[in-house]
Amino acid sequence: MTTVRQRRVGKGTEADEDQPSEEKNVKPDGKVPSGRKLWDILSVTVGGIVAVSLGLLTSVYVATLHENDLWFSNIKEVEREISFRTECGLYYSYYKQMIQAASIQQGLHGLVYDNKTESVRTINILERMNVYQEVFLSILYRILPIQQYLEPVYFYIYTLFGLQAVYVIALYVTSWLLSGTWLSGLLAACWYVTNRIDTTRVEFTIPLRENWALPFFAVQIAAITYLLRTHLQPVQERLTLMAIFIATFLFSVTWQFNQFMMLIQALALFILDCFDMLPTAKVTWLYIIQVSGLLLVCVLQFFNSMILGSLLISFNASVLIARTIQKNLKKGGLLNRLGKLILHVLLVLGLTLLINKFMKKILNLESDEHIFKFLKAKFGFGATRDFDANLYLCEEAFGLLPLNTFSRLSDTLLFYIYMFVLILLTVAAVIVAFRNLSGSNQVQCMEEREECTVTLKPDAAYNLTHTVLFGCLALSTMRMKYLWTSHMCVFASFGLCSTEVWKLILKGVRLHTSQRAHLIKYSVPIITLLYISYKFWPGIMDELSELREFYDPDTVELMNWIKSNTPNTAVFAGSMQLLAGVKLCTGRTLTNHPHYEDKNLRERTKQIYQIYAKRSPEDVYRILRSFGTDYVILEDSICYERRHSRGCRLRDLLDRANGHIMDGLGENEPELKPSLYPRFCEEIKKNLPSYTVHFTRVFQNKTFHVYKLAKHK
């Protein structure tokens, strides 16, 4: 944290200097006054009660919003399952599968040797997907005596809503640890709720992996914040490291993008360690915990090659190797240190790329190549006609963070306060980093200044770097904003409730007194809370009183028809999003699905999607039958898509990938040629002989058309 301190040469210890405020409350014999001790106990008790209460209230709040939006308690089971859209339905289907299995052993066997998620192929779901949470929850539901009182779906969604309590409590505790007052945690929790649109989407994407993972990530950040405090007792440090390991493991096992998030976290630790802003021993432990947690997940996922070939493992190993090579990295003057630092960074980056390339070569790893293709195209390293990369580029969720996000965050004052604290602490961080590199521990004082050294405590330095790096991620990719916005609440509330921040500001304008700093520390947050309550409480009440109902009759009709009119062994082809619902609602076998982290599946999906391209009926039939397809579902919303602009419609992506000119007015790339065939999804509806010989329409409504494939000898 930023503070200004009197220069002391040869007196006191580092611990004394880091917490000057505590010295005033210690008697000459080293004992804390009993009155102060009682006050601390009372404060911690009240703060803890407030934290738990706010967490539980948030859980009830999002659960109520979910119920009010869908009338979940009143709709049919098929409608409840359809409400789990896209990949959410796929993940929930494995929970349902485990619940319905004759035994736990049989359920696990069905996941390890699954032949219904991808037709004509047996895959290990536990290796391919992060569904251990569904497995654990289904086993818990089976062994607990709650079947008569609670339906499986409610046990599932209430668990997710309960994790929101953990999330809010973790944010609250982090802010409290940074500022020293639970008022900061209260403000962070209130900002999280009032900015709900930008901090969470749990109420309408319940089974999404991030809704499982982010609460544990927040717990990990809180534990790291505590670990980076000074003068921890050895037992406290060991317990905190254990808590960090458990939180890191739970975060990693519940989300497939864990390695990328922790890589950013590792970069934050690396930057701070390079500038001597964190204790090297603790940073080393954090590197080890990250790798060990990820490797444990790798073992549980049957040695998933995507984890073994992750950049995180390569980076952390490279940092530890580079440290061994450069033993005198943190000695010398400014220019000497800068030279060593540049060499160190280059060495780490070189080793990371070398180790990662070596691992991918050995493992023949191609599962994550679509991510790097997407990043390459996104940041302008050449245009691409690659179908997978463009599929991501054309989705709004993977675009830049919209500007209206900042206007919403500004309405609650969050963004303004966040930027104020961010700029102030960034300036302090630059000063501290320069001083550390120059080898000076103090800044010269003016004659009559009592305190004049700008410092940044390790816990504040970590959270500053964390919020900057994840802010950059959110700005570049909208889907990742939830990692940033929740931490914004923590960071802004900490700055607003920090004595050191206000002390620094008041000293800058020569108005500092201890009483004035403490008065502002409490009065400004309270005024902010009153403003938020006055402005947003009526809106929250209106939101809670607004009642809607789930309504999707076409999809319900389709699922009911499939269950009633097709054999249990039937294989269905269609869009990834729809097929996830088909698996959940009907249990039929799929040709493809939305979990995209597999090269073979990506190739398969591109082939299946030729039903929306300009291909001959013979080609489409041959492709579908190669995957064992019995029925294909065509969606008008895709065939005649208007949601995306020209060039980003699914049919346009397919045309470009196939080398065909796109439909509609507009420019085409010079190398694109007209197709010899009309668009399959349009032409099949004309019932021409060349189509009916292969495809027979067996179901139709306003949205969907289902065709049965002929079985030619």
Side-chain angles (χ1 to χ4, degrees):
M1 196 60 266
T2 55
T3 184
V4 182
R5 221 173 22 239
Q6 184 177 5
R7 180 173 182 176
R8 298 176 182 176
V9 181
K11 294 181 181 179
T13 65
E14 184 182 350
D16 294 331
E17 290 183 354
D18 280 343
Q19 292 202 349
S21 58
E22 293 181 5
E23 295 174 1
K24 299 176 183 177
N25 302 306
V26 180
K27 291 181 179 179
D29 59 2
K31 296 181 180 179
V32 179
S34 57
R36 176 67 184 179
K37 188 180 293 185
L38 288 173
W39 173 254
D40 289 343
I41 293 171
L42 179 63
S43 178
V44 170
T45 303
V46 173
I49 292 171
V50 172
V52 173
S53 301
L54 283 171
L56 294 175
L57 285 172
T58 304
S59 294
V60 173
Y61 173 56
V62 292
T64 304
L65 289 177
H66 176 257
E67 169 64 24
N68 290 356
D69 192 49
L70 300 176
W71 203 4
F72 200 75
S73 60
N74 192 62
I75 59 178
K76 300 174 183 177
E77 182 180 5
V78 65
E79 293 175 311
R80 290 176 178 174
E81 292 176 346
I82 292 170
S83 72
F84 297 138
R85 302 283 185 180
T86 66
E87 60 187 290
C88 298
L90 182 68
Y91 297 132
Y92 182 78
S93 72
Y94 299 118
Y95 170 76
K96 180 182 177 181
Q97 182 176 325
M98 284 289 297
I99 292 288
Q100 293 179 343
S103 65
I104 294 173
Q105 292 78 5
Q106 189 172 332
L108 289 172
H109 185 272
L111 293 180
V112 174
Y113 301 98
D114 180 278
N115 54 15
K116 296 184 76 68
T117 302
E118 294 177 17
S119 59
V120 299
R121 190 181 180 195
T122 299
I123 63 172
N124 185 344
I125 298 298
L126 295 180
E127 184 265 332
R128 281 274 297 278
M129 305 182 196
N130 296 71
V131 294
Y132 269 102
Q133 51 267 51
E134 277 76 20
V135 172
F136 173 76
L137 217 57
S138 63
I139 294 173
L140 200 61
Y141 182 81
R142 294 176 72 116
I143 62 176
L144 292 176
I146 57 174
Q147 289 89 343
Q148 295 180 351
Y149 315 104
L150 195 64
E151 296 176 61
V153 67
Y154 276 106
F155 184 65
Y156 187 90
I157 65 172
Y158 285 166
T159 300
L160 266 300
F161 293 143
L163 279 177
Q164 282 295 295
V166 176
Y167 198 3
V168 170
I169 291 170
L171 297 177
Y172 181 107
V173 169
T174 306
S175 188
W176 186 358
L177 288 170
L178 287 168
S179 66
T181 171
W182 57 261
L183 183 63
S184 175
L186 174 61
L187 184 56
C190 289
W191 265 328
Y192 178 83
V193 172
T194 52
N195 291 283
R196 177 183 55 80
I197 293 174
D198 295 301
T199 55
T200 183
R201 50 178 174 168
V202 66
E203 74 273 14
F204 61 90
T205 59
I206 298 173
L208 209 60
R209 303 298 84 181
E210 68 189 45
N211 294 328
W212 285 97
L214 292 187
F216 300 122
F217 195 46
V219 171
Q220 187 223 43
I221 294 168
I224 290 174
T225 301
Y226 184 76
L227 176 72
L228 294 176
R229 303 180 97 185
T230 54
H231 57 71
L232 287 182
Q233 297 296 323
V235 65
Q236 292 175 313
E237 193 168 305
R238 285 194 292 270
L239 289 173
T240 307
L241 287 170
M242 180 60 69
I244 294 171
F245 174 78
I246 293 170
T248 301
F249 166 72
L250 292 174
F251 169 68
S252 300
V253 81
T254 51
W255 197 17
Q256 70 268 31
F257 295 134
N258 51 53
Q259 53 173 296
F260 302 105
M261 303 308 111
M262 289 200 293
L263 176 63
I264 295 174
Q265 191 176 54
L267 283 172
L269 296 170
F270 177 70
I271 291 168
L272 292 169
D273 186 36
C274 285
F275 291 110
D276 272 356
M277 298 173 76
L278 294 183
T280 300
K282 291 182 179 180
V283 171
T284 303
W285 272 113
L286 292 175
Y287 285 142
I288 293 170
I289 285 173
Q290 282 189 330
V291 172
S292 56
L294 205 56
L295 289 177
L296 180 56
V297 172
C298 181
V299 172
L300 287 175
Q301 290 194 260
F302 297 81
F303 296 94
N304 185 306
S305 60
M306 190 171 169
I307 296 176
L308 288 172
S310 68
L311 275 172
L312 174 69
I313 291 178
S314 302
F315 178 80
N316 286 11
S318 299
V319 172
L320 297 176
I321 293 170
R323 271 204 201 151
T324 306
I325 296 172
Q326 292 180 289
K327 295 182 178 179
N328 296 322
L329 183 64
K330 298 185 179 181
K331 294 181 180 179
L334 177 60
L335 294 178
N336 193 357
R337 286 285 301 274
L338 280 174
K340 289 180 180 179
L341 184 57
I342 292 170
L343 183 62
H344 182 64
V345 171
L346 292 174
L347 180 60
V348 168
L349 292 179
L351 282 172
T352 300
L353 295 175
L354 189 65
I355 293 172
N356 192 251
K357 190 171 183 179
F358 177 72
M359 291 296 294
K360 287 186 174 181
K361 191 76 174 176
I362 290 177
L363 299 168
N364 194 25
L365 177 61
E366 297 176 310
S367 299
D368 59 354
E369 66 177 6
H370 65 300
I371 297 173
F372 296 103
K373 285 181 181 178
F374 160 69
L375 292 174
K376 183 180 175 181
K378 183 179 179 67
F379 294 110
F381 296 103
T384 179
R385 295 214 317 252
D386 183 78
F387 176 76
D388 299 320
N390 285 322
L391 199 61
Y392 282 105
L393 286 171
C394 287
E395 282 299 320
E396 184 183 4
F398 292 94
L400 299 176
L401 189 66
L403 292 177
N404 61 8
T405 305
F406 301 107
S407 62
R408 289 193 300 269
L409 296 173
S410 299
D411 287 342
T412 61
L413 303 181
L414 173 60
F415 185 66
Y416 297 130
I417 295 171
Y418 172 81
M419 289 304 300
F420 169 73
V421 178
L422 181 66
I423 292 169
L424 187 69
L425 293 190
T426 301
V427 171
V430 171
I431 294 171
V432 171
F434 179 78
R435 188 179 68 230
N436 290 347
L437 285 179
S438 64
S440 171
N441 293 323
Q442 305 289 340
V443 173
Q444 291 295 329
C445 299
M446 293 178 67
E447 288 185 0
E448 294 186 355
R449 291 290 181 97
E450 291 183 357
E451 300 177 346
C452 67
T453 304
V454 176
T455 66
L456 196 65
K457 291 181 181 177
D459 53 358
Y462 169 75
N463 279 274
L464 170 65
T465 314
H466 179 102
T467 199
V468 169
L469 293 183
F470 279 95
C472 293
L473 177 66
L475 291 172
S476 66
T477 308
M478 187 186 76
R479 183 176 177 179
M480 299 301 171
K481 71 175 181 179
Y482 303 102
L483 288 149
W484 182 45
T485 48
S486 58
H487 195 263
M488 283 179 72
C489 302
V490 171
F491 196 74
S493 60
F494 140 63
L496 208 60
C497 298
S498 170
T499 304
E500 287 82 4
V501 168
W502 287 114
K503 186 187 295 184
L504 186 64
I505 295 168
L506 291 173
K507 282 184 175 293
V509 294
R510 300 185 180 182
L511 291 174
H512 174 259
T513 64
S514 179
Q515 294 79 6
R516 189 173 289 150
H518 277 81
L519 176 64
I520 296 175
K521 170 184 174 177
Y522 292 108
S523 60
V524 173
I526 289 172
I527 292 169
T528 305
L529 282 167
L530 291 173
Y531 168 79
I532 293 171
S533 302
Y534 173 77
K535 185 171 182 179
F536 293 97
W537 182 257
I540 291 174
M541 291 297 101
D542 290 341
E543 191 177 35
L544 289 172
S545 62
E546 189 174 350
L547 303 178
R548 299 187 185 90
E549 182 179 358
F550 175 86
Y551 185 74
D552 189 355
D554 290 348
T555 307
V556 171
E557 184 185 12
L558 172 67
M559 298 303 172
N560 287 333
W561 181 87
I562 291 173
K563 284 195 288 186
S564 303
N565 296 277
T566 64
N568 292 335
T569 56
V571 178
F572 279 80
S575 69
M576 296 183 290
Q577 295 81 0
L578 179 63
L579 290 185
V582 169
K583 184 181 188 308
L584 171 58
C585 298
T586 71
R588 301 303 187 262
T589 304
L590 313 180
T591 55
N592 54 310
H593 55 81
H595 195 273
Y596 220 48
E597 279 66 51
D598 180 77
K599 185 180 181 181
N600 290 327
L601 177 66
R602 293 194 295 272
E603 290 293 334
R604 176 186 284 227
T605 298
K606 181 181 174 182
Q607 290 297 308
I608 296 294
Y609 276 8
Q610 298 303 311
I611 59 179
Y612 296 109
K614 297 173 182 176
R615 298 290 293 268
S616 69
E618 292 78 16
D619 283 349
V620 174
Y621 176 80
R622 177 181 50 79
I623 290 169
L624 293 177
R625 286 302 299 161
S626 70
F627 298 118
T629 307
D630 297 313
Y631 298 87
V632 60
I633 307 173
L634 297 175
E635 301 170 63
D636 286 346
S637 59
I638 297 178
C639 191
Y640 308 107
E641 183 183 357
R642 295 179 180 178
R643 184 169 69 95
H644 291 106
S645 60
R646 184 179 184 272
C648 267
R649 300 169 298 191
L650 180 61
R651 62 180 187 267
D652 297 334
L653 303 184
L654 290 164
D655 288 343
R656 291 176 64 198
N658 293 339
H660 297 152
I661 291 174
M662 296 181 289
D663 292 339
L665 299 175
E667 295 183 357
N668 288 283
E669 296 168 37
E671 59 269 25
L672 298 181
K673 307 295 181 184
S675 173
L676 297 175
Y677 304 100
R679 194 166 303 282
F680 177 84
C681 64
E682 296 176 358
E683 203 70 9
I684 193 175
K685 295 169 187 174
K686 298 178 181 179
N687 292 322
L688 299 174
S690 58
Y691 288 82
T692 56
V693 70
H694 301 298
F695 303 93
T696 303
R697 185 161 55 198
V698 291
F699 174 83
Q700 176 184 5
N701 63 20
K702 291 184 294 182
T703 305
F704 305 104
H705 303 261
V706 181
Y707 292 86
K708 185 176 182 179
L709 276 69
K711 294 187 178 180
H712 303 308
K713 292 184 180 179

